Amino acid sequence: MRTKQSILLASVMSVGLWMASCNSQLDIKPVNSVATGQALSTASDLNALLVGAYDGLSGINLYGGSLIRDGELLATVPSTGDVNWTGTYTAPQQIYTKNILVNNGQADITWTDAYRTINICNTVLANLNLAATADQARIEGEAKFIRGSLYFELVRFFARDWSDGDPNANPGVPLVTTPTVNLDANSNVSRNTVAAVYTQVLADLTDAEAKLPATNSFFATKGAAGAQLSRVYLQKVDYPSAASAANRVITSKTYQLVDLDLVFDTREFQNGINTNETIFAIQITDQDGINDVNTFYGSSAEGGRGDIDINESFIAQFGSTDRRAGLFYDDDGLFRTEKFINQYGNIQVLRLAEMYLTRAEANFRAGTTVGDTPLNDINVIRNRAGATPLTAAQLTLATILRERRLELAFEGTYIHDIKRTKGSVGTLPYNSPKLIFPVPLREITTNPALLQNAGY
């Protein structure tokens, strides 16, 4: 049970240290309230701690579920949008209806779990000297990839978008880059600006891309850092840098588009695997991990709750030859996406198709052809789906953004795309306070240095 004090911003970072046993078999155990110097003494300890950071990242309140689910619910107009929420959980219901209360439980636990995982990364980075010299760069890159990714998600959900006002003045989220072990007055840190958070995110991910290997089993790689950088630059409306980052991933030849039926491991595999298109994914098996996107999108027959179904009006947007229209199934009169049909399927966080779409949009906006033309990049995605290729006359910003929505539907990008393109959610403009999560009430209550978001 959490105490009030444990929810302080830096509580959030309540050590949560992880260690492995001395034998060769990984046996990760949570250790609370242990000083860093006592908890870490060997390279094995450090490696186990890094695994703990991945475990945090893959939790159901981060990339294991809620960051992806809530990016869709927040962007949806109730009843008439692309998806319907029919569940009974209060927190996601508030997000869906855009009536989020200051004590929303999902906003609270997303914030808490993100900062706890960030603190694990900070502890890894503070103890790199324990690693073998040959491993230090990789370990540093992995920790910075996780930390940079989480600060990016925090600033996107809990602060105004980069394009909404002045990012150098708008409050972002607190930046803490050193380990937090003891909770005292020094733990009451304030919010850094949106611009400062983006600067930290870019520094982390750029360093990660430089230090990570091209292949690294299912852990973070050079391509994963580059792909995440392309997202950050796109959100920051830095189109030349977005195109360049996406191009680096594409031209690395490390990843290839696969047959549409295999992208999400929907039917072929009991346990999730990564395909050649996967850049970074949360690993799920029938022995470990929870695919919480399946929990909400999947029917009861597929291991889910069936809380989210898809409106037929969305499916109708696909052309008659577009095989992506087949990535839906009828569940007793309700339509559901097959992207998350596999209870034990890995959760795609970054995949190659997005890089083509990002490069296409960024090049189109900047009037450049880094790597290839926008038309060719869009048609690579359409050709894979069996959709009729676009002509030069048909290629507009609107058609590019529509292709992005059709391809990346329900993968967590929608609300962020709406904000960066200054769109709207029904009658709510992109910069409505209703489209931003509150700083958790318990954080505000216990930390007087924190400023609450407008509207709360």
Side-chain angles (χ1 to χ4, degrees), residues 249-250 255-257 277 279 350-356:
V249 179
I250 294 169
Y255 315 97
Q256 295 83 40
L257 296 178
E277 185 167 336
I279 299 173
L350 295 160
R351 60 186 181 94
L352 185 62
E354 182 181 345
M355 298 301 100
Y356 281 102

Side-chain angles (χ1 to χ4, degrees), residues 182-245:
N182 298 314
L183 298 176
D184 52 30
N186 293 325
S187 302
N188 292 337
V189 296
S190 59
R191 297 173 68 174
N192 294 81
T193 66
V194 168
V197 178
Y198 270 81
T199 297
Q200 182 64 51
V201 169
L202 289 172
D204 275 352
L205 294 176
T206 299
D207 208 21
E209 186 181 22
K211 289 178 170 144
L212 285 168
T215 58
N216 190 24
S217 183
F218 48 73
F219 299 108
T221 61
K222 185 179 296 293
Q228 194 72 288
L229 275 169
S230 76
R231 280 187 175 178
V232 178
Y233 285 125
L234 195 64
Q235 200 74 36
K236 192 173 177 280
V237 297
D238 181 350
Y239 300 121
S241 296
S244 179

Side-chain angles (χ1 to χ4, degrees), residues 33 48 54 68 115 178 188 204 248 336 349 378 382 431 439:
S33 303
Y54 280 105
I68 295 171
Y115 274 108
T178 56
N188 292 337
D204 275 352
R248 291 196 299 274
R336 307 198 185 281
V349 176
I378 289 299
R382 291 183 65 80
N431 58 355
V439 176

